[in-house]
Amino acid sequence: MSYFNRRGIFLQKLGPTIVDPDEVLVSMQFALKESSLGASGTPSEKLLDSTIYTASSYDGGQSFSIGTARDVDGDGDIDHNDKAKLLALAKAYANIVKP
């Protein structure tokens, strides 16, 4: 997140593991950043309205599934399009070799 943009997405890829070489998990954290000055004048930052989704794949990252979702596309309803956007983000990030 930059100084001018308070919204951010943190992505983390987990796997494959020795136990299951085809398992890939992608953790996606959506948050808002709030910057402020502390009592001593030191800058501090904290994350607000943080939501974490975990997408899982058991075929090496070819396809993903996700549990529940919320309205991530801003159209006012929770539907297949919201899950599709989260799954597309997870698949794209899983395919990046050197992030």
Side-chain angles (χ1 to χ4, degrees):
M1 287 184 264
S2 72
Y3 177 76
F4 298 105
N5 187 2
R6 297 181 14 176
R7 299 178 346 150
I9 303 172
F10 301 95
L11 301 168
Q12 182 179 17
K13 179 181 170 186
L14 309 166
T17 64
I18 296 171
V19 175
D20 189 351
D22 290 331
E23 179 183 35
V24 177
L25 301 175
V26 174
S27 173
M28 301 171 277
Q29 180 181 13
F30 295 77
L32 295 174
K33 178 179 74 169
E34 180 181 79
S35 300
S36 62
L37 292 176
S40 63
T42 58
S44 67
E45 296 178 345
K46 62 183 173 181
L47 297 180
L48 306 173
D49 193 25
S50 177
T51 305
I52 297 173
Y53 300 101
T54 302
S56 55
S57 171
Y58 298 98
D59 59 4
Q62 298 302 310
S63 62
F64 281 88
S65 62
I66 195 165
T68 58
R70 70 175 192 176
D71 182 22
V72 294
D73 58 11
D75 64 358
D77 62 352
I78 300 169
D79 56 11
H80 177 70
N81 292 334
D82 297 302
K83 279 191 174 185
K85 286 175 176 50
L86 291 172
L87 294 173
L89 178 60
K91 186 172 182 179
Y93 186 70
N95 287 319
I96 296 174
V97 178
K98 294 183 180 183

